[in-house]
Amino acid sequence: MCYRDRLIRVNGIPINPHAALLTGSSSSETAGMAKAMSPDVTLKNMDVVSRMVHWHEAPVIVPPSITVTKVRLPQVVLDEFLLCSGDDNDNSNNDSIFFCNKPTTVPVHPAGPYLSNTLMFMVEAQEGLEPRSLFPCHRLDRCTSGLTICCTSSNIAKLLQVQLTAKNVDKMYLARVAGRFPYSAIEANTALINKTAKPNSASWIHIQNPNDCIEVNAPIGNLDVVNGDRGVVEDDDTTGKPSRSRFQFLAYDETSKTSMISCCPLTGRGHQLRVHLQWLGFPIHGDVQYGNTSKPRDTDTRDKVIEAMYNSIPDEHQQLPVSSLEEEGGFDAGAISAAREVCRCCSGGRCGIIKSFSAAQLLEAGHAIDLHAWKYRIKFQGRDKKKGKNADGDSGSTDKIRNEDDDPIADMMLETEKPAWAKSCGFGDIDDVQWLQ
């Protein structure tokens, strides 16, 4: 089907099993296929193979507007890394960052079935920025909400990524977890029984009053690469990476039998807080992927999503116009129609839609969990003048910075509003939450 309908191309030329090689016959039978290539052709270095696909974007849930705040970097940072001159995009945003309050269900950047339904695309449209001009400086899981930093300057994005890698950024999350989280050393010793053996350990530690908290030191590895599942693994597991997190009890809601806690990841592994809380026995509310089943599956929303997607599929006899984007890509109406024929959603109806998307993508379960990136504290370290030179020999490089033990040249504090679930569960009055670093 893909060959016959010219959905696969080499250097923009469709492949057709009935076509002669471009250098082959020019008889009347093949004259009509002069712009097609045989699948037997031998590929050469730098050939580009492309495949035309037709897919349906998974839905997301967003507020009328996403909270976006533009903040200029401290002048000392701009001067230290020469970020005000010679930058790659000459515009008024090149000395600033944007920090957004990302809604749950929304991925940070295009991935999988998501393209326009992503934070970067939405913020660009909302703020009147050029398409594809935003660089994400880090990412959050799609099901997580909260503070996400992006910018229009690749140099600033690189600088922030280097500061993150060097552990110069403190992060504070809020989470609602199942059960009563330990709030004292006595409770912790009871709740953490069998969790204190090295190398995987959880312990009650004292930072400074009242900052008593639980620290988890347990390596995280991949359990299921295909589905993206991670978990705590043994120390000798080669897939495991050292991972440390700290958690502090804030409040308990008797009605929902859930606790509000603050979370500070000391390392930056994927799904780290979610995995560590599951391992402790206090999974995050709504996190089906990591052990919480207290939140019922939303089959009503799923059915509405499926019906809406099904109704958006054109009738098989309906000839849709070719868009300007499709014309620019060289796709005619026949090729577009063929792509729709092999699309599982278009050809399979409601069953095809169900097979094409996960429960989380259909907003049934696991698409929104009660984990929110609340505050970031960026402690900018200056550049290492002995090592830091960029490609032009300029000493304003952003990829070599001083040791984290040196005094920072500037601090930035970023904060979002607390999430609705925190306010609705009686946790909204909690403001004086201490950093656990």
Side-chain angles (χ1 to χ4, degrees):
M1 172 67 80
C2 292
Y3 282 154
R4 188 179 69 242
D5 294 312
R6 297 166 295 153
L7 301 183
I8 297 179
R9 301 181 175 212
V10 176
N11 301 327
I13 302 173
I15 289 181
N16 191 309
H18 304 293
L21 294 179
L22 290 180
T23 57
S25 171
S26 59
S27 66
S28 59
E29 287 95 12
T30 59
M33 300 179 184
K35 292 186 178 180
M37 180 178 289
S38 168
D40 297 326
V41 70
T42 301
L43 294 177
K44 303 183 299 296
N45 188 32
M46 303 304 291
D47 279 346
V48 177
V49 179
S50 60
R51 182 188 176 208
M52 179 183 175
V53 296
H54 176 256
W55 90 101
H56 299 256
E57 191 152 354
V60 295
I61 301 174
V62 293
S65 65
I66 297 173
T67 302
V68 180
T69 306
K70 179 182 174 182
V71 180
R72 190 174 188 270
L73 290 183
Q75 188 62 47
V76 64
V77 174
L78 296 171
D79 293 340
E80 178 80 0
F81 294 98
L82 307 181
L83 293 173
C84 289
S85 61
D87 210 350
D88 47 4
N89 295 315
D90 186 17
N91 61 56
S92 60
N93 296 320
N94 274 357
D95 58 0
S96 305
I97 61 173
F98 297 87
F99 71 92
C100 319
N101 191 357
K102 185 186 87 67
T104 57
T105 76
V106 178
V108 172
H109 51 74
Y114 299 93
L115 179 63
S116 59
N117 287 350
T118 57
L119 184 67
M120 294 299 102
F121 274 47
M122 292 178 181
V123 171
E124 287 167 353
Q126 177 179 298
E127 300 300 309
L129 302 173
E130 289 293 324
R132 301 181 184 271
S133 62
L134 278 179
F135 297 93
C137 299
H138 62 109
R139 62 177 298 277
L140 292 180
D141 292 340
R142 179 165 47 87
C143 57
T144 303
S145 63
L147 202 154
T148 309
I149 304 173
C150 53
C151 59
T152 58
S153 164
S154 61
N155 284 343
I156 289 181
K158 183 178 181 181
L159 170 62
L160 290 175
Q161 289 161 1
V162 170
Q163 300 287 345
L164 282 161
T165 302
K167 300 181 181 179
N168 296 331
V169 180
D170 297 333
K171 304 175 184 179
M172 181 185 294
Y173 288 71
L174 296 177
R176 180 162 61 139
V177 300
R180 187 181 185 93
F181 199 80
Y183 67 94
S184 68
I186 296 175
E187 280 203 356
N189 289 335
T190 302
L192 303 180
I193 191 169
N194 300 325
K195 299 289 185 183
T196 57
K198 296 292 183 179
N200 300 348
S201 66
S203 56
W204 185 263
I205 65 170
H206 303 274
I207 304 175
Q208 59 181 11
N209 289 330
N211 282 16
D212 294 339
C213 64
I214 290 175
E215 178 172 301
V216 175
N217 188 354
I220 292 175
N222 291 319
L223 302 182
D224 185 338
V225 177
V226 174
N227 294 312
D229 294 337
R230 297 177 174 90
V232 170
V233 297
E234 297 300 324
D235 190 46
D236 57 356
D237 191 321
T238 57
T239 68
K241 294 183 179 180
S243 308
R244 291 173 60 216
S245 308
R246 289 176 179 170
F247 306 100
Q248 185 179 51
F249 173 85
L250 299 178
Y252 179 70
D253 180 58
E254 184 67 36
T255 302
S256 61
K257 307 296 183 185
T258 58
S259 299
M260 177 82 152
I261 64 173
S262 63
C263 318
C264 289
L266 303 183
T267 53
R269 312 304 176 203
H271 300 186
Q272 177 173 315
L273 297 176
R274 301 165 63 188
V275 169
H276 278 171
L277 285 168
Q278 179 198 32
W279 182 73
L280 282 175
F282 299 93
I284 297 172
H285 184 252
D287 196 353
V288 176
Q289 186 174 6
Y290 291 105
N292 184 264
T293 58
S294 60
K295 190 175 181 179
R297 301 179 82 87
D298 192 350
T299 55
D300 288 342
T301 297
R302 178 204 62 191
D303 292 343
K304 291 177 182 177
V305 166
I306 293 171
E307 196 63 23
M309 296 181 74
Y310 176 76
N311 290 334
S312 70
I313 299 172
D315 184 87
E316 60 180 342
H317 301 297
Q318 182 180 356
Q319 185 69 37
L320 296 184
V322 179
S323 69
S324 59
L325 184 62
E326 290 167 330
E327 286 181 346
E328 291 174 6
F331 302 115
D332 56 37
I336 296 168
S337 177
R340 291 182 177 131
E341 287 180 20
V342 297
C343 168
R344 187 158 58 174
C345 292
C346 290
S347 61
R350 295 178 181 84
C351 291
I353 292 171
I354 294 172
K355 292 178 180 178
S356 299
F357 298 99
S358 67
Q361 291 167 346
L362 292 175
L363 309 182
E364 177 184 1
H367 55 281
I369 67 174
D370 291 351
L371 178 64
H372 180 83
W374 186 26
K375 297 180 181 181
Y376 280 11
R377 181 172 60 186
I378 307 174
K379 300 172 291 186
F380 287 98
Q381 288 291 347
R383 60 187 171 86
D384 189 331
K385 298 180 181 179
K386 296 180 181 179
K387 300 179 181 178
K389 288 189 177 182
N390 59 24
D392 299 324
D394 194 328
S395 59
S397 172
T398 58
D399 59 355
K400 300 292 183 181
I401 59 176
R402 295 200 300 260
N403 189 285
E404 64 178 317
D405 295 330
D406 296 334
D407 291 334
I409 60 172
D411 287 346
M412 283 188 75
M413 183 75 75
L414 308 177
E415 179 178 344
T416 69
E417 293 184 4
K418 289 191 285 293
W421 51 261
K423 300 174 184 177
S424 65
C425 294
F427 302 135
D429 295 333
I430 297 174
D431 290 310
D432 187 21
V433 181
Q434 303 298 314
W435 293 91
L436 302 180
Q437 277 82 357

